[in-house]
Amino acid sequence: MKSSLFFDFDGVIVESLSAKTRAFRKIYEPYGVDIQNKVESHHLAHGGVSRFEKFKHYHQEFLGKSLSETEVDNLAREFSQLVLEEVINSHFSPGIISFLEKAVSKNLKIWVISGTPTDELRVICKSLKIDHYFEGIYGSPESKDYWCKKIIDEYKL
């Protein structure tokens, strides 16, 4: 059996947490600094949670409002527009490229499992020219737990 590695994306492969933090603050700007601070604090403490879940949580817990799926999708689309280019232009985490190269040279299988939407994550990895390092690149709306179980079952890891 070959060894396998699962990587998160933001803060592990690229230093992109600040871009996403700024995007959350921008989206919640109309609700005031107190709400922005709560959103930022939660976001930083729960980095791997999907933006879809975060929007539902922030609106329910901080604003006392439930969101429809359409409203969540609209917020996620706005968020993507705010962060996509900035994430692509983020710096790689120190040592990650050399680590990936060594891991691949040793025939390790590597997957990215992130809270970032799958389609967006694949565009980012392709733009960064790192997609070839990974057996698969997976994100939301499915959870990290879902992807880990699916990959383990499918590849009999």
Side-chain angles (χ1 to χ4, degrees):
M1 176 171 72
K2 294 188 180 196
S3 295
S4 300
L5 300 170
F6 295 171
F7 279 88
D8 191 6
F9 189 75
D10 297 300
V12 176
I13 295 176
V14 296
E15 299 293 333
S16 53
L17 286 174
S18 62
K20 294 188 175 187
T21 302
R22 284 189 294 278
F24 276 118
R25 287 193 70 87
K26 178 75 174 160
I27 287 171
Y28 286 92
E29 190 174 50
Y31 302 103
V33 174
D34 184 51
I35 297 298
Q36 286 177 299
N37 291 342
K38 288 178 182 180
V39 166
E40 179 177 346
S41 179
H42 182 275
H43 165 66
L44 293 174
H46 299 88
V49 176
S50 84
R51 62 191 68 168
F52 300 92
E53 295 306 313
K54 286 180 179 180
F55 287 128
K56 291 175 193 174
H57 176 81
Y58 299 157
H59 270 70
Q60 186 64 50
E61 295 300 315
F62 304 149
L63 303 174
K65 299 178 183 178
S66 294
L67 291 173
S68 69
E69 288 305 312
T70 300
E71 290 170 317
V72 172
D73 289 344
N74 289 340
L75 287 168
R77 201 169 7 269
E78 179 183 353
F79 187 89
S80 290
Q81 291 170 349
L82 290 169
V83 300
L84 187 60
E85 187 175 335
E86 193 171 348
V87 171
I88 290 169
N89 291 323
S90 295
H91 296 287
F92 286 110
S93 296
I96 191 65
I97 298 301
S98 63
F99 180 87
L100 292 172
E101 289 172 353
K102 286 178 189 171
V104 169
S105 75
K106 294 181 184 217
N107 295 318
L108 293 173
K109 294 188 177 290
I110 308 169
W111 283 267
V112 173
I113 301 174
S114 175
T116 300
T118 297
D119 292 343
E120 183 177 316
L121 192 57
R122 289 177 178 164
V123 166
I124 293 166
C125 288
K126 186 172 180 67
S127 296
L128 293 172
K129 297 179 173 53
I130 59 170
D131 54 323
H132 65 281
Y133 291 118
F134 308 113
E135 294 292 315
I137 300 167
Y138 303 105
S140 61
E142 289 83 3
S143 69
K144 289 180 179 182
D145 187 52
Y146 168 88
W147 286 120
C148 289
K149 287 177 183 174
K150 182 170 177 59
I151 292 166
I152 289 167
D153 289 346
E154 190 171 312
Y155 289 87
K156 310 216 182 321
L157 302 177

